[in-house]
Amino acid sequence: MARTRIALAAAATLLIGACGAPDSPDSGGGATAGPVPDKPDRAVTLNVLDVAGNLQLTQPMIDDFAARNKDQIEKVTYSKATAPELVGKVKAQQGAGRVDIDLVLTGVDGLAAGIDQGLWTALLPASASRLPGMNDYLPGAAAMQKLAGDHGVTVTYYPSGPLIEYLPATVADPPKTAEALLAYAKANPGTVQYARPSNSGPGRTFLMGLPYLLGDSDPKDPVNGWSKTWAYLAELDKYVTLYPSSTSETMKNLANGSAKIIATTTGWDINPRVLGTVPKEARVGTLEGFHWVTDAHYAVIPRGVPVAKQAAVLNLLRDMLTPQQQAKAYDQGYFYPGPAVKDVTLSMAPAESQQALAEYGRPEYDQLIAGNPVEVPLDAKALVTAFDRWDREIGGAKVKK
């Protein structure tokens, strides 16, 4: 099944004003401001925009809820876009006074950019009692939720990376340190790749993981604490011929041999091998000093969405955070493991997920997850700053258009 993916996480505890767009006729009807009812007074159409590849994990949850609650949801429409397109789409609708996107599924990139621009409705703490599953988050997911502030609800979670991926037939002795990776790139120009960080989960995880690998002074401060990281990236850039605009391009390049080593994550390792994009025999490795940089997907509601639709979205999110629905997040390893709440085992997942992970999963991941430090990503402001500096000073001119 062909699916668009982008893999993220983070935001800030900013207090942003509530609804700003005027009331408008809509299939959900009603005002954009005011108390959110328990249910919509009539079934609404929900328009869902995915900029993170999250529907691969959650569309079965959404469709199931809609089928069981026809009094709330008449139909669901789905659309996809890249994270860099998100802000422009939402701002244009808010500026026109008619918001047609009711629910956004996003990673760190879109979430952070939207918070920076004041695009999202503040859901918390007002709606916390309507989302009891948030009390059952895994520790890593709970940490990601704190970073989201009041404007996003964590729906899926994984430890992420950064990992390196290679084919053993072409890289017999893979690098074990960041310095060795740089030496390999120098000796083999054009063969080490990572995608543009602002548009790639593995790309930004590599970016945020380097300060730990290199022993930088403050891994959470890309302005004053990343001197070693920026110097390393500038040196590595000398031997990088292009930066793909998406993670999927790096996977194709690994498969066709134009890239020998790429940045990856647990999910981006497993799922492309399940789908046949990358050969099954591909291997992954960590670099000395490795820390996990976690990632999550969030649900956000743009400012200006009618309260009737907000009610339907909140009820949908409540259902999505139950263990039986969260088990669907195992998918085919795309966001491995995937569930954000506790006590969701693979045995609870659909048979297709269990079969895929039995064949393509890696037993060493359990040990790696348990045996290495786990770090939350940069907050919204720092992440936007890091993306901007990377675009300006490192790789923007070499991003594949």
Side-chain angles (χ1 to χ4, degrees):
M1 185 181 300
R3 290 155 171 169
T4 302
R5 312 171 184 84
I6 304 173
L8 194 302
T13 54
L14 303 177
L15 293 177
I16 298 172
C19 305
D23 297 354
S24 61
D26 188 276
S27 61
T32 61
V36 179
D38 291 338
K39 290 183 178 182
D41 57 4
R42 56 191 172 90
V44 301
T45 294
L46 285 186
N47 301 310
V48 180
L49 174 65
D50 176 20
V51 298
N54 179 262
L55 285 173
Q56 181 161 327
L57 310 173
T58 60
Q59 185 170 343
M61 306 179 197
I62 298 170
D63 288 343
D64 184 37
F65 178 83
R68 290 184 284 109
N69 293 273
K70 294 185 181 298
D71 60 324
Q72 297 189 55
I73 299 178
E74 180 181 6
K75 69 175 180 177
V76 182
T77 72
Y78 297 105
S79 60
K80 298 179 181 181
T82 64
E85 295 173 315
L86 174 61
V87 168
K89 283 180 176 290
V90 175
K91 285 185 73 173
Q93 293 187 10
Q94 290 174 338
R98 184 179 180 91
V99 177
D100 294 324
I101 300 169
D102 305 311
L103 171 63
V104 177
L105 300 170
T106 181
V108 57
D109 34 21
L111 175 69
I115 287 179
D116 188 57
Q117 296 287 322
L119 303 184
W120 312 136
T121 297
L123 299 176
L124 305 169
S127 298
S129 63
R130 301 173 68 155
L131 301 168
M134 295 180 71
N135 297 321
D136 298 323
Y137 279 144
L138 293 163
M144 296 298 291
Q145 181 57 40
K146 288 180 181 178
L147 285 176
D150 298 335
H151 298 88
V153 174
T154 303
V155 292
T156 50
Y157 162 80
Y158 82 135
S160 194
L163 307 170
I164 60 169
E165 186 167 1
Y166 59 93
L167 299 180
T170 56
V171 183
D173 185 21
K176 301 295 193 299
T177 66
E179 292 75 13
L181 178 63
L182 183 61
Y184 182 93
K186 183 176 182 179
N188 302 273
T191 64
V192 174
Q193 283 188 3
Y194 64 99
R196 182 190 183 195
S198 64
N199 203 30
S200 165
R204 69 174 169 268
T205 303
F206 179 66
L207 180 69
M208 291 186 288
L210 275 174
Y212 299 101
L213 295 170
L214 298 172
D216 246 325
S217 60
D218 187 352
K220 294 297 196 302
D221 184 356
V223 176
N224 301 307
W226 282 22
S227 60
K228 294 178 181 179
T229 294
W230 294 120
Y232 181 94
L233 289 169
E235 183 66 18
L236 180 62
D237 178 66
K238 296 177 182 179
Y239 317 112
V240 175
T241 55
L242 66 87
Y243 296 95
S245 58
S246 69
T247 311
S248 59
E249 287 299 314
T250 67
M251 297 293 156
K252 293 174 184 176
N253 293 341
L254 180 67
N256 67 31
S258 59
K260 306 296 184 186
I261 297 176
I262 62 172
T264 193
T265 62
T266 59
W268 274 101
D269 157 43
I270 296 172
N271 188 250
R273 290 188 297 116
V274 174
L275 299 178
T277 307
V278 172
K280 184 178 181 179
E281 63 269 20
R283 301 293 302 275
V284 295
T286 61
L287 302 176
E288 185 178 310
F290 168 72
H291 288 215
W292 291 104
V293 178
T294 58
D295 201 356
H297 286 159
Y298 299 90
V300 296
I301 300 176
R303 290 188 300 106
V305 172
V307 293
K309 289 196 172 193
Q310 291 183 42
V313 170
L314 287 170
N315 292 335
L316 167 63
L317 295 179
R318 178 188 181 109
D319 192 68
M320 288 172 65
L321 292 177
T322 60
Q324 58 268 33
Q325 295 292 356
Q326 283 281 297
K328 297 172 183 175
Y330 278 102
D331 182 60
Q332 292 180 315
Y334 168 55
F335 215 61
Y336 183 81
V341 303
K342 300 174 183 176
D343 302 323
V344 182
T345 63
L346 181 58
S347 64
M348 299 166 61
E352 180 186 32
S353 297
Q354 296 186 45
Q355 181 178 353
L357 291 170
E359 185 172 356
Y360 293 93
R362 297 193 190 275
E364 61 264 36
Y365 278 153
D366 289 343
Q367 183 178 353
L368 282 172
I369 292 170
N372 290 278
V374 176
E375 311 290 349
V376 294
L378 299 178
D379 66 26
K381 183 178 180 180
L383 187 64
V384 170
T385 298
F387 286 165
D388 179 65
R389 182 165 178 178
W390 187 94
D391 282 345
R392 287 185 293 103
E393 298 183 10
I394 305 300
K398 293 183 183 178
V399 172
K400 184 179 179 181
K401 305 301 183 184

